[in-house]
Amino acid sequence: MRELSVGEVAKRAGVAVSALHFYERKGLIQSLRTAGNQRRYASDVLRRVAVIRVAQRVGIPLEAVRQGLASLPEGRTPGREDWAALSARWRQDLDERIAHLTNLRDRLGDCIGCGCLSLSACALTNPGDSLASEGGGPRRWAAA
């Protein structure tokens, strides 16, 4: 197994050295240490970094990425089957977030953004006019 320096991994993966350090602190990747305390990575880390970058690009939380990568065998380059399993896990979460954002987008036209938040028509921040019982004026904007 060929070991790569942090600079080699950064260059080949197209990420900053600081990103690799960050991924390591978050438990997404692992390194070995030389006698001189320099980081060395197994070559499978390149594919793992690629998975991390794609997952980040589509909005997968890093904790979900960490859990997914932890389910893969250590020391083996993740393959097509591994990606299929990871992406299947993340697909439902993405579908739910897409549905939520679509719903917000579709309701945004009803929001006048005035800050009173007691309008019964404001389905975004005051569904069912639930804040009316607290009186008029901005109820949630003041706390933000």
Side-chain angles (χ1 to χ4, degrees), residues 22-139:
F22 175 77
Y23 295 157
E24 194 169 346
R25 280 193 311 274
K26 294 294 184 182
L28 299 166
I29 60 174
Q30 296 179 17
S31 68
L32 306 170
R33 296 294 179 132
T34 67
N37 203 31
Q38 294 178 334
R39 287 178 170 91
R40 293 291 184 260
Y41 296 94
S43 58
D44 70 296
V45 79
L46 293 169
R47 183 71 55 84
R48 291 174 187 270
V49 170
V51 168
I52 294 165
R53 293 188 69 203
V54 169
Q56 283 183 300
R57 186 170 187 146
V58 298
I60 304 299
L62 284 180
E63 179 56 24
V65 176
R66 188 196 64 71
Q67 290 172 4
L69 290 174
S71 72
L72 301 178
E74 201 53 46
R76 180 175 62 75
T77 301
R80 197 177 295 272
E81 299 81 20
D82 298 317
W83 177 251
L86 291 175
S87 62
R89 281 188 200 172
W90 299 332
R91 180 179 301 276
Q92 181 178 354
D93 178 55
L94 286 173
D95 287 342
E96 289 171 5
R97 285 194 279 154
I98 289 168
H100 177 72
L101 288 171
T102 299
N103 185 31
L104 287 175
R105 181 204 60 208
D106 293 347
R107 294 172 134 190
L108 189 59
D110 294 333
C111 178
I112 60 173
C114 69
C116 77
L117 304 183
S118 64
L119 295 173
S120 60
C122 188
L124 293 176
T125 57
N126 188 20
D129 199 22
S130 61
L131 295 176
S133 63
E134 298 177 24
R139 295 283 172 239

